[in-house]
Amino acid sequence: PPTSARSHFGSRVAAKCSQPTPAAMTKLNRNVSSMPRKQRKALHTAPSHKRRVIMSAQLSRELRTKYNVRSMPVRKEDEVMVKVGTLKDREGKVIQCYRKKYRIHIERVTREKTNGMTVPVGIHPSNVVITKLKLDKDRKALLERKAAGAAKGKYTNRDVSMGSVD
């Protein structure tokens, strides 16, 4: 039977016995914490090279079928379309990736301040879809690596038809 213990607030709380956790609740990666507090700390203290990866956005359907890749880190001069929020369906070119604040600034997506000055609106990359990629040799290599990794675990029609040949 579970024993009771006092929390630091003074109420009685049932303390857990040393029971094994069910298979559905086990962690997939032992190196990553499942504690929200540690996840927030990791997000807000992440170095710039990790923030780049966190600031990824989905590719549009056309780009997804063309490159066989689902998402990419957003970079300056990519063309994106806002999919969520009050600025939904606005399109433009990325003019700045603000890694410190996890936001991107898009051409023609601005607001006017009370003093009359126009400033770009920061949008989180998860709320946009990349419609056109700015490709250079490093970006092409990344696309090829991601596509190869995605294709590695998939069955093709040829594999399925060869399975009945035995």
Side-chain angles (χ1 to χ4, degrees), residues 8-25:
H8 62 280
F9 293 115
S11 62
R12 291 188 97 38
V13 179
K16 288 187 177 178
C17 295
S18 57
Q19 298 172 348
T21 57
M25 294 178 64

Side-chain angles (χ1 to χ4, degrees), residues 7 12 20 22 29 35 40 44 54 78 96 124 139 147 156:
S7 72
R12 291 188 97 38
N29 188 346
M35 298 172 74
R40 278 193 296 274
H44 296 299
I54 294 168
D78 279 349
Q96 183 185 19
H124 195 274
R139 211 108 190 265
T156 61

Side-chain angles (χ1 to χ4, degrees), residues 54-88:
I54 294 168
M55 289 179 65
S56 293
Q58 289 185 0
L59 297 183
S60 65
R61 275 205 181 87
E62 298 81 36
L63 292 177
R64 206 180 298 173
T65 54
K66 181 178 178 182
Y67 296 114
N68 195 23
V69 172
R70 188 168 189 84
S71 65
M72 286 283 288
V74 178
R75 67 167 285 181
K76 189 176 174 178
E77 296 182 26
D78 279 349
E79 288 185 24
V80 297
M81 180 179 180
V82 181
K83 295 303 288 181
V84 178
T86 56
L87 301 166
K88 186 175 177 174

